[in-house]
Amino acid sequence: MYVDYYELPFGAQLLLWTSRIALLSNCRVSPNKYEVINIAFERAGIQKGGILLKSFLSLIKHNKNFKFRRNCSRCLLKEELDLINCINMHKLCYFDNKFYIELWGLESNAILFTTNTKKLAAAFKNANLATKINYLKYDETHNTSIFSRELH
């Protein structure tokens, strides 16, 4: 499946771009990556977005199943789609995030992950940033096709 970065809604592009910057860039330039991330979030209407993103990514960035492409790549990885979908699903009031906790092996940090993810998702929701992507997702554990994970 091919999902083009430029076909994503703005909120999903912002989340992916800032995540790629946070995970793959270095801090030795001026402005450093955290300043760039904060500028991007502030222009989109999210205050202290860099802190929210860092607290969210800090729990999953060391997972061996969590991969990201460089910023210049237009073709998204399954893991990148999962990240976007995770934030989108946490915008909902009633959502059981067991799927993402198991996906990224966060059973020992489930409460902290849920708290950090909901804070980031709430910031995206309050800024009216669209993160919903419609795609058929293949779930290897159940061997079925799933259309998003949102109730319609």
Side-chain angles (χ1 to χ4, degrees):
M1 173 184 61
Y2 175 79
V3 177
D4 189 350
Y5 174 83
Y6 294 121
E7 294 177 8
L8 295 174
F10 176 72
Q13 286 182 5
L14 177 67
L15 175 64
L16 187 57
W17 183 81
T18 54
S19 298
R20 286 176 173 177
I21 293 286
L23 295 173
L24 303 173
S25 296
N26 65 40
C27 297
R28 297 183 183 170
V29 295
S30 182
N32 71 30
K33 66 182 179 180
Y34 299 110
E35 291 169 340
V36 170
I37 290 169
N38 280 327
I39 290 168
F41 276 121
E42 286 173 9
R43 290 192 179 178
I46 298 176
Q47 298 300 316
K48 300 187 181 185
I51 295 170
L52 296 172
L53 182 69
K54 188 176 181 180
S55 62
F56 168 68
L57 291 175
S58 66
L59 297 169
I60 57 178
K61 69 180 178 182
H62 297 297
N63 186 300
K64 64 180 179 181
N65 296 326
F66 190 70
K67 300 175 185 92
F68 261 67
R69 292 188 193 251
R70 294 276 174 205
N71 259 341
C72 58
S73 178
R74 288 179 60 175
C75 180
L76 276 61
L77 294 172
K78 177 188 175 297
E79 293 82 2
E80 294 171 325
L81 294 171
D82 287 337
L83 178 95
I84 296 166
N85 204 35
C86 176
I87 296 300
N88 187 59
M89 298 313 299
H90 279 85
K91 287 180 174 180
L92 303 173
C93 294
Y94 305 104
F95 173 68
D96 179 15
N97 66 348
K98 182 180 175 185
F99 172 79
Y100 295 103
I101 290 169
E102 290 176 0
L103 177 68
W104 293 318
L106 298 169
E107 290 81 6
S108 62
N109 292 317
I111 294 171
L112 184 60
F113 170 74
T114 302
T115 303
N116 292 343
T117 307
K118 285 188 180 221
K119 285 180 182 178
L120 183 60
F124 271 79
K125 185 176 182 177
N126 292 339
N128 293 320
L129 295 174
T131 54
K132 184 177 180 181
I133 49 177
N134 293 321
Y135 67 97
L136 286 174
K137 181 176 178 179
Y138 186 76
D139 185 353
E140 291 91 4
T141 58
H142 297 98
N143 202 18
T144 58
S145 290
I146 301 168
F147 185 77
S148 190
R149 285 197 174 275
E150 188 171 335
L151 298 174
H152 298 284

